[in-house]
Amino acid sequence: CIPVKRAEDVSPGEQRDNTDAFLQSYEHLEQHGVLFIAPEGTSWMNRFVRPLKTGTARIALGAEHRNNWLLGLKIIPVGHSYTAPHLFRSEVVVQAGKPVVVADWADQYRENQVAAVDALTEYLEQQLKSLSIHTRDETGEAMITQLEEILINESPLPQQESFYRSQSLAARFLDDHVLANLLEDYQDSLKKQGLSDAAICFSNKRAPWWLLPALMAGLPFFLLGYLLWWLPCFVPAWITKRMNLYVGYGAIAKTLLGLFTFPLAMWGVYHLGKWLGGQAWFGVVAVLFMVVLGYFTEKYLDWWQRFRNHAAGAALHRHHQQEWAAAQRARESLLSYIA
């Protein structure tokens, strides 16, 4: 870990000096080391690439310059796109771009070092935008998020395919004022009636025949799994909430705390199983059963949410025909427009 001081890290009157950080970086790279750099110099949950700091380009070009452009240094831009960065066990798509050969900027660096740094920084920024779901700003973020919710309800896709669909939406529609107005009208109609897109979507779909029997048959296992995992999951969530962390660090804190609470819970179940069965292998079986129940409990909650969506949609269709019809027309117009 090489500490670097950003402008916002320096107290009034304090001089910002990163000479030692650059020197350590050069020496590490000269030994064929690898550096991870967060080039935006900040961490926010918005899905758009913020202007990059010049540090990455300055370190890379400086290291090559020190070695007569023979170091063979490459920069690999990497984009991360999370489904829900604040939630434990949410999914992420990692896109690695083609290696950027730093020596390609040698001639420009010899002519004008500042211009070369700016050019390489701009190039890296464009690469990251192509590897991410770049929504540009908060307005674009809200628009793409709303479109994603509608499309996920209408036609769910695996995470990788969903990433490309969202990336395409951002590329095609961020400047589309017609779509923005259609989306605003639809969201207003939902808000006025206290409805959700899921309720509108599932009102047109029948629940799978197996859903209700699965919920009924699985209820005892769900309750047992929920009981076993409630405390080890609740404690990290409660402590993280009490710490009042920035939302982007919540999942990290929960994971770190879970490294203690999960093994403790399994240790307790092991000894309970061993005590009840009288032999150590009963404890091992109890722990394995606990782990399986944990995954089942997650799946059961998904089934329950799906059942609730279908029930809400059916009730809406039966008792609020006029509101349902208006929202349905607005939704169909949206889907037809972006098809």
Side-chain angles (χ1 to χ4, degrees):
C1 231
I2 301 175
V4 178
K5 283 191 174 183
R6 303 169 298 172
E8 55 265 41
D9 299 326
V10 179
S11 304
E14 181 185 357
Q15 185 177 1
R16 184 163 70 107
D17 185 2
N18 285 315
T19 303
D20 187 56
F22 275 79
L23 182 60
Q24 288 185 59
S25 299
Y26 296 154
E27 293 174 347
H28 181 68
L29 293 170
E30 287 165 357
Q31 295 169 10
H32 305 290
V34 176
L35 284 178
F36 163 77
I37 301 177
E40 294 170 300
T42 186
S43 176
W44 297 98
M45 294 299 98
N46 308 93
R47 288 181 300 172
F48 51 86
V49 177
R50 296 174 184 271
L52 302 194
K53 308 291 187 183
T54 59
T56 304
R58 288 164 60 201
I59 289 172
L61 292 168
E64 279 287 10
H65 176 67
R66 277 167 51 105
N67 291 272
N68 298 315
W69 305 96
L70 299 174
L71 194 58
L73 192 62
K74 298 179 179 66
I75 302 173
I76 302 179
V78 181
H80 295 82
S81 299
Y82 295 86
T83 54
H86 60 293
L87 294 179
F88 180 58
R89 283 176 53 77
S90 58
E91 294 181 302
V92 59
V93 171
V94 180
Q95 296 278 96
K98 294 181 179 179
V100 179
V101 180
V102 179
D104 289 348
W105 271 262
D107 291 339
Q108 189 172 1
Y109 189 82
R110 293 188 188 99
E111 294 176 9
N112 188 322
Q113 293 186 9
V114 174
V117 167
D118 289 342
L120 179 53
T121 300
E122 174 63 25
Y123 182 79
L124 293 174
E125 187 173 315
Q126 294 304 318
Q127 291 298 300
L128 289 178
K129 288 177 181 178
S130 71
L131 298 167
S132 310
I133 302 172
H134 180 56
T135 59
R136 291 206 307 230
D137 52 30
E138 282 83 358
T139 301
E141 171 78 5
M143 179 182 184
I144 297 302
T145 300
Q146 291 168 358
L147 289 173
E148 284 174 331
E149 179 186 359
I150 294 168
L151 288 171
I152 288 171
N153 288 328
E154 181 68 24
S155 179
L157 293 175
Q159 183 56 23
Q160 182 79 12
E161 295 176 41
S162 181
F163 164 83
Y164 288 120
R165 180 168 66 183
S166 296
Q167 196 176 50
S168 174
L169 290 173
R172 293 166 58 198
F173 295 118
L174 284 178
D175 293 318
D176 194 316
H177 299 295
V178 174
L179 179 60
N181 290 331
L182 287 172
L183 187 59
E184 183 178 2
D185 291 342
Y186 178 55
Q187 294 296 329
D188 286 344
S189 68
L190 292 179
K191 190 173 182 180
K192 287 178 183 177
Q193 304 301 332
L195 304 174
S196 67
D197 177 73
I200 300 296
C201 176
F202 285 95
S203 65
N204 290 322
K205 301 178 181 180
R206 299 187 63 179
W209 65 267
W210 53 264
L211 187 57
L212 185 57
L215 286 172
M216 295 174 65
L219 182 59
F221 299 100
F222 164 75
L223 293 175
L224 180 58
Y226 197 89
L227 176 66
L228 291 174
W229 283 105
W230 180 80
L231 195 59
C233 290
F234 169 78
V235 170
W238 181 79
I239 293 177
T240 302
K241 185 176 180 181
R242 296 281 293 182
M243 291 170 68
N244 196 29
L245 295 172
Y246 168 61
V247 64
Y249 303 139
I252 298 171
K254 290 175 187 175
T255 301
L256 292 174
L257 291 165
L259 291 176
F260 296 94
T261 60
F262 280 34
L264 281 173
M266 289 188 279
W267 176 84
V269 168
Y270 168 79
H271 283 279
L272 177 62
K274 181 181 176 181
W275 177 72
L276 290 174
Q279 297 184 44
W281 68 269
F282 276 99
V284 174
V285 171
V287 171
L288 293 174
F289 186 58
M290 178 187 182
V291 173
V292 172
L293 278 179
Y295 286 106
F296 175 78
T297 301
E298 279 192 328
K299 179 58 68 175
Y300 189 93
L301 288 171
D302 290 341
W303 292 345
W304 172 244
Q305 185 59 50
R306 188 172 180 180
F307 177 79
R308 289 184 61 191
N309 286 335
H310 280 288
L316 172 68
H317 199 179
R318 286 196 305 270
H319 304 301
H320 303 278
Q321 283 280 348
Q322 190 172 359
E323 295 87 348
W324 173 85
Q328 182 65 29
R329 285 194 297 271
R331 191 174 192 275
E332 288 174 353
S333 297
L334 264 173
L335 291 172
S336 176
Y337 191 88
I338 63 178

